[in-house]
Every structure is written in structure tokens, then in C-alpha cells.
Amino acid sequence: MADTLYDIVVIGGGINGAGIAADASGRGLRVLLAEAGDLGGATSSASSKLIHGGLRYLEHYKFRLVREALAEREVLLAAAPHIVRPLRFVLPHVEGMRSPAMLRAGLFLYDHLSSRKTLGGSRSVDLRADAAGQPLAADLRRGFTYWDCWVDDARLVVLNAIAARDKGAQILTRTPVTGLSVEDGVWRVTVGDGDAATHLHGRAVVNASGPWVGRLAELAAGGAGPSPVPVRLVKGAHIVVPRIAAGADAYIFQSSDRRVVFALPFEDAFTLIGTTDTPFAGDPREVSVTADDQTYLLAVANRFLRQPLKVSDIVWQFAGVRPLDDDGQEDVSAVSRDYRLQLDTSRGPPIVHVIGGKITTYRRLAEAALVLLSDHIPMGPTWTSQAALPGGDIGNRMYSDWFAELARQFPEFENRELSRLARRYGTRTSSLLQDAEITADLGRDLGGGVRLREVQYLAREEFAKRADDVMWRRTKAALHVRPGEREAMAINIQRAIDAV
């Protein structure tokens, strides 16, 4: 590794870094990705789990961003149908907030800014007659429905890292970048600390370190003066409660501060509620959900729900830090969620700093980053818009048809368990199952339905090194065990990982 000259060294294993590594590797470049923690271990696993255009961004006239994101919904549905799926949203109307005319106009634009092949359009709904109105307060009579997509965000990151590795990239997790300098016209990158430090070289560097992008930019500039990349850090908090409705609909609630809060079906038995938008100035790895965050989210949700939620209903919570482009807006909700790429060649070899972005548009961001580098490094053509992500290669079939075929291949396997695995691994489920005929063939349950063979597969094939990588990112299995049982679950999973 140390003796190899890489074409691109990507710093950061979130969705942007993994997406850039996959795209670059597929263009024939020698790529190394270095991530200080786990893949998707920070911002990219703390999202609202949506592939969406961003309906509320229309109010801020972000038409290009919304159009690009809407188009990407169809691309990602085709690329990863096992982890991306359509989701109907219910938008109740509340007197004194956005008018029905305004909502209709916004939804009309949302329907027509980009072509739709798979997803349905918006419509008005009588909440007194439609089943979607059952969990809502009795005074909510009128609303609208529209379609977006749900995604397993952490798995989307991992799939891109697998795609990069399959095309020749070197993926290093738990490997922080501690030094950046220029040596003989190329970047000298130091990874690791102390005696474990290793030096490698790259013709170009991509700084996709998310909330740490400003710090890495300062390191690359030699550490003198303020960071050349201004970034505004904004915290987003989420809470998880038992499922508030029997159906599979999602809800979008309007707050009196003109923000919106989502209530999303999550992990079969739960509802995910979020997110907040608050300035953040601490260490991104120490971000957490505060009592104020809980109060805000519950207050917004309870304005709309028939059965009020309490703090004691919260079964899990998480927060992440979004690194937004500092455009000078006072209201953090109005700060653009668009991405900005900053190319710097002041020290000779190029470095691209990635600021902002949405999980929905990561693929387009990757293409744009490589356009900036194409004048410095010869590379092949774009390719990701028509390519399936690992496990997503089901052809032109509907997901349900593909799964029915998988079930016929494993007729004695418990259908619910097979469905759970298929939603995680898609066409690679067969590689995990191998000769297993029934669930018990996968070994003992280590907690939350995760069995020994699955943990071994995640360690061997999906870069899992620690119990949390499995419990909260590769799967959400820890959510399905009591809090008091999670320590024993972690011990069992770590032992399984260490044995691989």
C-alpha cells in the first residue's frame, strides 16, 4: 500500500466519499479510500432515510437541486431496489399554515420538474375517509399525498464501498488521515497515528470528510491561518417510537416555524420522527439528542396525532451533523442543502473539497467531482447512471417477482427471515445463505435476529469490524432487543467478528 501511487486518495467513508471511490474505480483509476471510523458512521447513517427531491426546498427557489434530486429517485430505485423503495407521503393541511393553493402548486411542480417512470403523482385526500387519516387528530380533514422513496442510508454507503472494492479500490476503515503534504509533485498522505502511521501517495486527493471537511482543508493548506473551506455545521436529531399507524404511509407535518417534520415507518414495528435544524459547534462525534430536541419533535408530531406521544415512548434516538455550505443565511433551515465542490491546485497536485450535499444526489456529486479532476487525471467515461449497485442486479423485473423466485430457491426457509435478508443483500443473499435450507442453518441468533453466519458474512464481505457496525449500521438489529440485552449482544457479535 505505502509503495503504490494512487490516482485518487479519498478521505471520508460517508456516502459522498464512497460514491466518488466507486465512480472513480469504475473509470479505471487506482483509488484508495480512508475512513477514520466505520463506513457511514457519522452523518450518512444519521439521515431521515429518504431519497427525495426535497419538497420544502421549492419555497427557497432551489429548482435545480429539486429537479436533480427528483431524477435521482428513479436512478437509485433501479440501481438498488432491495434497499430503496417507494413510499407514499401524507401531508395534512392545517389552517393558518401553508394554504391549500400553495401546497397544490408546490406538489404540481414536484410532479413535473422531472419525469417519473415508477412513482405515482400527488392528489388531494379526504382524511376523514382515507385510512391514512386514522392516526391523525380529528380536526385534520383535508390533505394531500405524494410519492418519494425510503432508503437504508448506512447500507447505501456500504454498497458503494463494495462496488469500489469490486472494481479494484483499496478501502481502509478505522484509519484516520493524520497528515497531508506535497512531495515530488504528488500528495503524501499519512494514515494512522504513532508507530502505526503509514505514508502513501496520490496524484489527487478528495476531501469528503463531511463535518471535518474544514479541518482537513486546513491540514492540506499547511495548517496556517483559518480553514480555506467555510462550513456551517447543523445538527439534525431523530427519535424512534412504536409504530403510530398500522399502514405503511409516511407523514409530513408542518411546524409553526415553517419547518417540516417527517414521521416515517421504520423497521416494521417503529416510526422514525425527525428532523431538527440547529447550529452545532462541538465535536461531531459527540453529537447527541437533547431534551430540547425531544420536546420539539414530540410537540410537532402531537399537533397532528390522535394519540399523543410522550418522552417515555422513545425507544431509540440519534443525531448527526450536516456540513452545509456557509452561504450567510441567518435561518439554518434556509441554508442550501446543495453541494459545492472546491478545487484547489495552489500546492501543485489537485485536491477537491466536498461541501454539503444530500444523500439523494451523491451519485451526481461524484460525477461532478470527477469532472473537476478530469483535466488533471485521464479517466474513463461516466458509467454509474445505468449500473446496479451490489445486490441490485435483478434485471428489469419487479422486486416482488425477483423475491418470489428467491423464495422458490429456498422453499423451506422462513419467508419473513428470507425477506429480511433479501432487503439487506438483494441478489447477494444466495452468497450468504449458500447451502442453508432453514433459518437454523445460519447458526445461533446473536441478538435481534442476526445469526452467526450473517455476522461472519458482514465481517468478511462488508468491512464490519466492531459490534456497533453490525448492530446499528449494517443492520438495525439492536433496535429489536431490550436495552438491557444489548451489551451481551455486542459481546456475542464482537466474538463472531474477531473469529473471521
Side-chain angles (χ1 to χ4, degrees):
M1 179 180 72
D3 295 330
T4 302
L5 174 61
Y6 294 94
D7 292 310
I8 299 178
V9 175
V10 180
I11 304 171
I15 188 58
N16 291 332
I20 291 168
D23 193 342
S25 300
R27 300 190 195 207
L29 301 182
R30 293 184 297 276
V31 177
L32 179 138
L33 182 149
E35 161 57 41
D38 182 32
L39 295 169
T43 306
S44 294
S45 60
S47 79
S48 297
K49 327 297 181 191
L50 296 178
I51 299 294
H52 67 139
L55 180 62
R56 72 182 181 90
Y57 303 149
L58 293 174
E59 288 185 308
H60 302 293
Y61 309 107
K62 303 297 183 182
F63 299 117
R64 185 205 61 77
L65 172 63
V66 175
R67 181 183 296 110
E68 183 176 277
L70 289 173
E72 284 301 287
R73 294 182 311 181
E74 297 286 347
V75 174
L76 294 176
L77 268 171
H82 54 314
I83 64 165
V84 180
R85 57 181 181 266
L87 183 60
R88 189 178 80 148
F89 283 75
V90 179
L91 171 56
H93 170 252
V94 178
E95 293 294 337
M97 295 189 186
R98 297 169 180 87
S99 69
M102 182 180 183
L103 294 175
R104 275 198 302 267
L107 289 169
F108 178 84
L109 281 173
Y110 207 67
D111 285 342
H112 294 92
L113 275 174
S114 182
S115 62
R116 290 176 286 109
K117 299 178 183 178
T118 307
L119 298 174
S122 62
R123 67 178 183 89
S124 299
V125 62
D126 183 347
L127 296 174
R128 296 168 296 180
D130 194 286
Q134 291 179 3
L136 299 178
D139 65 324
L140 299 174
R141 302 179 178 183
R142 183 181 183 186
F144 301 88
T145 63
Y146 68 96
W147 289 84
D148 265 322
C149 294
W150 182 92
V151 66
D152 187 326
D153 52 3
R155 291 208 57 76
L156 184 64
V157 178
V158 171
L159 295 188
N160 275 273
I162 293 171
R165 180 194 62 198
D166 288 352
K167 293 184 179 297
Q170 180 83 15
I171 308 295
L172 303 179
T173 63
R174 312 286 175 185
T175 308
V177 169
T178 54
L180 278 174
S181 60
V182 175
E183 181 178 87
D184 297 328
V186 298
W187 286 103
R188 183 177 188 261
V189 184
T190 304
V191 297
D193 291 307
D195 294 339
T198 301
H199 305 293
L200 52 96
H201 296 87
R203 301 181 192 276
V205 166
V206 174
N207 174 13
S209 55
W212 296 272
V213 64
R215 297 182 192 176
L216 264 294
E218 185 177 350
L219 186 66
S227 172
V229 178
V231 179
R232 192 164 184 180
L233 300 182
V234 176
K235 184 180 80 168
H238 296 79
I239 58 175
V240 177
V241 298
R243 180 68 65 91
I244 62 173
D249 288 323
Y251 294 85
I252 179 170
F253 299 146
Q254 302 177 75
S255 172
S256 58
D257 61 7
R258 298 193 66 80
R259 293 199 65 258
V260 297
V261 169
F262 296 110
L264 310 165
F266 186 61
E267 285 290 306
D268 296 332
F270 304 98
T271 293
L272 174 66
I273 299 174
T275 182
T276 59
D277 266 327
T278 53
F280 186 80
D283 182 347
R285 295 204 181 276
E286 301 299 325
V287 65
S288 63
V289 179
T290 66
D292 287 343
D293 296 328
Q294 294 175 342
T295 298
Y296 175 83
L297 293 173
L298 290 174
V300 174
N302 285 340
R303 165 62 186 88
F304 291 84
L305 296 176
R306 190 180 300 268
Q307 296 294 328
L309 296 168
K310 307 179 294 297
V311 171
S312 59
D313 292 318
I314 299 173
V315 297
W316 185 45
Q317 57 190 19
F318 60 89
V321 178
R322 297 186 288 267
L324 304 182
D325 189 16
D326 193 353
D327 57 7
Q329 292 276 356
E330 289 188 18
D331 180 4
V332 294
S333 295
V335 178
S336 175
R337 268 54 179 174
D338 206 349
Y339 57 81
R340 183 169 67 84
L341 304 175
Q342 184 171 314
L343 173 66
D344 185 355
T345 58
S346 61
R347 302 194 67 185
I351 182 170
V352 174
H353 304 292
V354 179
I355 306 105
K358 289 161 45 70
I359 198 166
T360 304
T361 52
Y362 83 89
R363 194 195 62 81
R364 294 290 294 270
L365 182 153
E367 288 185 335
L370 293 178
V371 166
L372 290 180
L373 292 174
S374 62
D375 289 338
H376 305 270
I377 303 172
M379 63 184 70
T382 60
W383 63 279
T384 58
S385 65
Q386 302 296 321
L389 285 167
D393 51 336
I394 67 172
N396 295 321
R397 293 172 291 179
M398 297 288 290
Y399 177 85
S400 57
D401 294 335
W402 168 80
F403 178 74
E405 180 182 320
L406 181 70
R408 287 192 292 270
Q409 295 174 18
F410 297 90
E412 302 301 321
F413 218 87
E414 183 183 348
N415 190 268
R416 182 176 178 179
E417 177 70 6
L418 188 63
S419 177
R420 180 182 67 81
L421 294 173
R423 277 297 182 188
R424 287 179 188 160
Y425 307 107
T427 58
R428 299 197 174 194
T429 304
S430 298
S431 297
L432 188 158
L433 296 178
Q434 298 177 10
D435 58 350
E437 296 182 0
I438 60 175
T439 303
D441 292 338
L442 299 181
R444 69 188 184 98
D445 188 339
L446 302 183
V450 174
R451 293 182 175 269
L452 177 61
R453 188 184 296 185
E454 184 176 3
V455 174
Q456 293 171 333
Y457 177 88
L458 291 171
R460 187 175 61 251
E461 301 293 336
E462 295 201 357
F463 313 100
K465 293 183 178 179
R466 297 185 183 174
D468 276 0
D469 302 349
V470 173
M471 294 168 63
W472 295 111
R473 286 180 288 279
R474 307 303 185 280
T475 80
K476 298 293 185 293
L479 190 56
H480 298 278
V481 302
R482 296 190 182 103
E485 298 172 350
R486 289 172 186 165
E487 183 177 354
M489 179 183 179
I491 292 171
N492 290 334
I493 289 177
Q494 192 63 57
R495 287 173 177 167
I497 291 172
D498 293 341
V500 173

